[in-house]
Amino acid sequence: MVDYSVHEQVAVFEVNNPPVNAFSHKVRVGLDRSIDKAIRDTNVKAIVICGKGRTFPAGADIREFDQPHKEPWLTGVFEKLEKTTKPVVAAIHGTCLGGGLECALFCHYRIAQKTARVGFPEVQIGILPGAAGTQRLPRLTGLRVAMDMITSGRHILAPEALKYGIIDEMFTGDVINAGIKFAKSVMNKPLEDRCLKNKTVKDADQADQIADEFMSLVKRKYKGFEAPIDCVKAVKASATLPYREGLKAEAMYMQKLVLSGQSAAQRYAFFSERAVSRWKIPGGNFQTAKPLPIKSTAVIGAGTMGTGIAVCLLNAGYQVYLLEQNQKFLENGVKTIRGIIEGSVRLGKTPMAVAQKAATLLKPTMKYEDLADVDLVIEAVYENLSLKREIFSKLDKLCKPTTLLCSNTSSLDINRIGTATKRGDKVAGMHFFAPAYYMRLLENIYSTETSPATVATIMDVGRKIGKVSVLVKSCQGFLANRMRGPLSVEAYFLLEEGSTPQEVDSVLENLGMPMGPLKTGDLSGLDIGYKIQTELAKSKGVELTADSKFLMGERISTLTRTMYDKGRLGRKTGKGWYRYEKPGGKLATPDEEVMELIKDHCMKAGIQRRNISTQEILERLVYSCINEGFKILEEGVAATPEDIDISWIYGFSWPKYLGGPMYYANKIGLDKIYQRICYYHENFPYSSHWIPSRLLQKLSENKVPMNQWCSGTDSKL
């Protein structure tokens, strides 16, 4: 796990634990033995630590967090390193993160390749740098930089690290040779002032002020998260306490966080995000199927979704043909794309070079014939099955046989779209979430005909454009929107039965969601829900009225019709479920006029309003979705609960510190969830989303652990 060699009086420790050289127990043992060996060897005058392969050690092995700890401890090994009388040089390449950066901070010197990155990402799994990182980094950078890096978890490149004093020198070329060369230059130099434990924090006299500033910042920016708050406290301790006392404070905060429910949930989310890439469908999986080469792409539709998707592809270096049949719409689309990219450059999120290249890759067109040789087409027109089938039929005739045809549909069955072509194996869904250039979830959908190679390709494209891709089987609504559907429906029912918009929204916002369902509706536009409901009714041969209560035996709410008739369409009109300061405004204010409209609607519909508890609101909003989630698992639409939870984290901003709705259900207890779903089914028999999931029932009765929930579980019980 640690390769030991000696070159010209320099001992080289190469950490060899691919893929990221994590500090597992075996690595710690190997490093400890290597230190002893180098100390005993009188021929060795200096030590270099580096990583074998593509990176310097990139942190601790998170999988060990839930296992009994084994000696040697990380801090103990690092302290032995610092105590040596021989200079120790950390030669950094790739990523030097978490425990890797802490290791470097115990070394006497640090050098790095220009492309290397350093950082403390621990806060993202609900903990802090627990091997003296909160005490040592401020002794190099000062409190402000240390607090920023540790509370945000951001990585910084070597030039910035050099500026802050984290590294001493940058190098090019071979990491071992550079390390040896530097080590030879510092042989026999005194080491007392190179030990960070002996240094003081340069802005210690401002500790209270800086800590207060950052405490205010993290409470606002990371609302609900515990780890950023304790990170601020631990870093402050580096300036207000002696080094050893600071370590005790860090250990106390670390112990508290590791044992917290938030950290367990965030660690679950961390592993889930990696698990969703390990997909499989009949005929192939992530290991056996190879992605097809994609160089040129096309996006059909220059509206909100189409332009957002184009930005994602352009930023990743793909050539993009943007097709629109209306010249004005096309020009507006190009203008929107340029505006998004230019804004990203101003914010420092997109390098100027990337933006300049993107400008050359965009090919606006009004001719389908221009798409003949592209490798991938993403259709992003509005939700109309006939229109999408017409487009796919045209593309099938025009595009080369190897072109993949994908739809950004949010709900329509990919099987029905694919039958409009003669290449069903090359048809799939790529459902982006608005705004597409910002939201990280990409819901990739396969039909009964989609080939493993097609799936491998769209999953690979998703990775390259910076998305978290989740693969699901085609059905009405797929995973995310289908599962969230009951939440919106129940929100309207709660308004009819007695709740106010702010009462409904505050329950989810207090849970940790950035926005409740009614504010989300205002943001999207209330006319959208009204039109979907109206079109659905028409397709069933039914004409809804303001006081309609049922559609094909299913309970419905026509509150959106009432709002539509009054011109209350949400933010765009300045009035929706809330009042806004102006059309397009963002500040939501409770509006008494809305309550009068709701009460009038209920009176005409004969609905008796009542007081509804916060707990009931929570259960009806969240448990209804959880029930649908188990049905999705039961039907094999999603393969694992991790697929569902990651979809909610990145598609609907479910707080990571709750792990996702399925993880949340497991923590509450499936028996309790099932009992409450049965209760609501009994009380609301005309809402099909309350019909209890058969899989949920069996899992709760058999007390099946969460790591055994998956598609096909039901048949094994």
Side-chain angles (χ1 to χ4, degrees):
M1 287 296 186
V2 177
D3 297 342
Y4 183 98
S5 59
V6 178
H7 310 260
E8 304 176 67
Q9 297 185 305
V10 178
V12 176
F13 305 167
E14 280 187 280
V15 177
N16 185 7
N17 184 23
V20 296
N21 291 324
F23 281 118
S24 65
H25 176 252
K26 289 183 179 179
V27 171
R28 298 196 302 272
V29 169
L31 187 57
D32 189 61
R33 290 174 179 171
S34 295
I35 296 168
D36 288 340
K37 189 174 181 179
I39 290 172
R40 289 194 302 267
D41 190 341
T42 56
N43 184 51
V44 169
K45 304 300 181 185
I47 298 168
V48 170
I49 297 180
C50 60
K52 193 165 189 174
R54 61 186 176 90
T55 185
F56 192 82
D61 190 338
I62 303 172
R63 293 169 297 184
E64 294 183 356
F65 278 42
D66 296 318
Q67 301 172 4
H69 286 265
K70 298 179 182 178
E71 292 188 6
W73 310 112
L74 207 56
T75 309
V77 175
F78 294 164
E79 285 181 340
K80 181 186 286 188
L81 199 64
E82 186 180 51
K83 287 177 182 176
T84 64
T85 58
K86 304 173 182 183
V88 182
V89 179
I92 299 166
H93 77 297
T95 53
C96 173
L97 306 173
L101 181 53
E102 284 171 314
C103 175
L105 295 179
F106 275 91
C107 295
H108 303 116
Y109 298 92
R110 292 158 290 282
I111 62 173
Q113 283 184 343
K114 190 174 182 179
T115 55
R117 291 181 291 129
V118 305
F120 281 125
E122 285 88 345
V123 70
Q124 294 168 6
I125 55 169
I127 58 173
L128 51 72
T134 65
Q135 304 305 296
R136 288 180 168 255
L137 186 63
R139 286 171 158 79
L140 282 174
T141 66
L143 291 171
R144 288 189 186 279
V145 172
M147 283 190 183
D148 171 54
M149 287 181 61
I150 292 173
T151 60
S152 69
R154 73 182 181 96
H155 305 174
I156 64 172
L157 286 168
E160 191 175 359
L162 181 64
K163 171 186 168 184
Y164 295 146
I166 299 173
I167 63 173
D168 301 295
E169 187 177 285
M170 289 192 294
F171 67 86
T172 57
D174 181 74
V175 61
I176 293 180
N177 289 338
I180 292 171
K181 180 180 178 181
F182 187 91
K184 289 170 70 176
S185 73
V186 296
M187 281 182 183
N188 303 314
K189 288 188 177 181
L191 299 176
E192 187 70 14
D193 66 341
R194 300 300 308 179
C195 297
L196 292 183
K197 66 181 180 181
N198 298 328
K199 291 184 176 291
T200 57
V201 179
K202 58 187 176 185
D203 48 2
D205 58 329
Q206 302 174 54
D208 288 337
Q209 176 191 338
I210 294 171
D212 288 346
E213 288 176 15
F214 272 89
M215 190 64 76
S216 176
L217 173 67
V218 300
K219 285 181 177 179
R220 182 176 69 254
K221 191 174 181 180
Y222 309 111
K223 183 180 177 182
F225 286 87
E226 296 171 355
I229 292 173
D230 285 337
C231 285
V232 172
K233 294 177 180 177
V235 174
K236 180 183 177 181
S238 70
T240 58
L241 296 174
Y243 177 73
R244 287 294 167 191
E245 294 302 310
L247 287 182
K248 291 179 182 178
E250 178 188 86
M252 177 188 70
Y253 293 125
M254 181 67 167
Q255 180 76 356
K256 169 195 165 190
L257 290 171
V258 167
L259 297 177
S260 72
Q262 284 201 4
S263 179
Q266 287 177 254
R267 296 198 301 273
Y268 163 81
F270 175 87
F271 287 115
S272 296
E273 185 174 334
R274 283 141 186 82
V276 298
S277 65
R278 298 192 286 272
W279 58 271
K280 66 177 180 179
I281 64 170
N285 58 52
F286 74 101
Q287 292 176 311
T288 61
K290 303 302 178 186
L292 302 170
I294 301 294
K295 293 182 179 178
S296 61
T297 68
V299 176
I300 298 178
T304 301
M305 290 304 301
T307 52
I309 294 168
V311 169
C312 296
L313 294 167
L314 290 166
N315 283 340
Y318 290 107
Q319 183 181 67
V320 179
Y321 284 86
L322 180 68
L323 187 144
E324 181 58 74
Q325 292 187 303
N326 180 291
Q327 181 67 40
K328 184 177 179 181
F329 289 168
L330 182 60
E331 290 172 357
N332 287 340
V334 171
K335 184 178 178 181
T336 298
I337 290 170
R338 287 173 178 165
I340 293 170
I341 294 176
E342 288 169 4
S344 185
V345 170
R346 284 195 300 272
L347 292 172
K349 295 180 179 180
T350 300
M352 179 60 75
V354 172
Q356 290 172 340
K357 183 180 179 182
T360 67
L361 294 172
L362 180 62
K363 308 293 181 183
T365 182
M366 294 177 64
K367 298 177 182 178
Y368 272 89
E369 290 76 12
D370 288 343
L371 313 188
D373 292 323
V374 302
D375 302 312
L376 169 71
V377 180
I378 301 176
E379 163 273 310
V381 302
Y382 63 90
E383 291 290 88
N384 182 289
L385 180 61
S386 297
L387 175 61
K388 290 178 186 289
R389 284 177 55 83
E390 179 185 333
I391 291 171
F392 272 67
S393 178
K394 185 180 294 186
L395 291 169
D396 189 43
K397 295 179 179 69
L398 284 171
C399 294
K400 62 184 180 182
T402 56
T403 301
L404 303 188
L405 306 181
C406 299
S407 175
N408 179 55
T409 176
S410 61
S411 61
L412 299 174
D413 189 351
I414 299 299
N415 288 286
R416 299 180 69 185
I417 296 174
T419 55
T421 77
K422 294 178 181 179
R423 59 176 86 189
D425 62 316
K426 293 181 176 62
V427 175
M430 293 182 75
H431 175 211
F432 291 75
F433 287 70
Y437 58 86
Y438 175 78
M439 296 298 288
R440 290 196 64 200
L441 178 65
L442 175 59
E443 193 175 39
N444 285 328
I445 306 105
Y446 69 96
S447 72
T448 54
E449 298 294 324
T450 307
S451 71
T454 297
V455 170
T457 305
I458 60 177
M459 293 294 280
D460 185 58
V461 169
R463 178 185 62 81
K464 288 177 177 175
I465 64 177
K467 302 300 182 185
V468 178
S469 297
V470 175
L471 183 67
V472 301
K473 184 170 74 174
S474 185
C475 70
Q476 189 71 31
F478 315 134
L479 191 170
N481 284 344
R482 171 182 166 180
M483 187 172 166
R484 196 180 189 279
L487 188 152
S488 299
V489 172
E490 283 297 324
Y492 297 148
F493 291 159
L494 287 162
L495 291 180
E496 287 184 333
E497 294 170 35
S499 299
T500 66
Q502 53 269 34
E503 286 172 343
V504 173
D505 281 342
S506 65
V507 167
L508 285 194
E509 289 166 5
N510 290 336
L511 188 68
M513 300 283 280
M515 193 180 292
L518 301 171
K519 287 178 184 172
T520 301
D522 277 355
L523 176 62
S524 302
L526 302 188
D527 52 324
I528 295 175
Y530 162 74
K531 289 175 181 177
I532 290 174
Q533 187 183 63
T534 302
E535 288 300 315
L536 178 62
K538 283 182 180 178
S539 70
K540 305 292 184 183
V542 177
E543 186 170 342
L544 298 177
T545 63
D547 57 354
S548 295
K549 293 182 182 178
F550 297 94
L551 175 61
M552 305 297 290
E554 181 85 6
R555 181 187 176 189
I556 62 168
S557 168
T558 56
L559 263 176
T560 52
R561 180 190 182 102
T562 299
M563 301 291 279
Y564 181 84
D565 290 343
K566 293 293 183 180
R568 300 188 70 106
L569 307 185
R571 285 190 186 184
K572 60 178 133 185
T573 59
K575 290 182 179 181
W577 298 115
Y578 296 86
R579 178 165 42 83
Y580 298 87
E581 69 273 20
K582 61 180 180 180
K586 297 181 180 180
L587 183 62
T589 305
D591 192 345
E592 189 56 39
E593 184 182 323
V594 172
M595 291 311 302
E596 293 303 319
L597 287 172
I598 293 172
K599 290 174 183 176
D600 183 61
H601 165 89
C602 293
M603 184 178 68
K604 290 177 180 177
I607 300 172
Q608 184 68 40
R609 290 172 60 79
R610 61 185 174 87
N611 291 324
I612 302 177
S613 70
T614 297
Q615 183 63 25
E616 181 179 341
I617 294 172
L618 174 66
E619 291 176 354
R620 289 176 62 179
L621 294 177
V622 179
Y623 290 14
S624 59
C625 296
I626 289 171
N627 189 44
E628 195 66 31
F630 279 102
K631 292 177 184 178
I632 286 169
L633 209 55
E634 183 180 321
E635 297 168 18
V637 173
T640 67
E642 288 89 345
D643 290 334
I644 295 173
D645 286 336
I646 288 299
S647 294
W648 274 68
I649 287 171
Y650 289 114
F652 302 129
S653 299
W654 178 277
K656 273 190 179 180
Y657 59 73
L658 293 179
M662 305 302 277
Y663 182 91
Y664 178 75
N666 187 54
K667 287 299 176 183
I668 292 172
L670 296 194
D671 53 342
K672 294 178 183 177
I673 296 282
Y674 179 70
Q675 288 169 10
R676 295 306 290 165
I677 288 171
C678 290
Y679 168 82
Y680 289 118
H681 177 48
E682 183 179 342
N683 283 272
F684 304 114
Y686 299 105
S687 292
S688 59
H689 56 258
W690 284 123
I691 298 174
S693 159
R694 190 163 55 95
L695 176 61
L696 171 59
Q697 178 187 1
K698 293 192 174 185
L699 290 173
S700 63
E701 289 174 350
N702 291 277
K703 302 188 183 306
V704 178
M706 189 175 181
N707 61 8
Q708 294 179 29
W709 306 353
C710 59
S711 298
T713 302
D714 188 30
S715 62
K716 299 173 187 175
L717 296 176

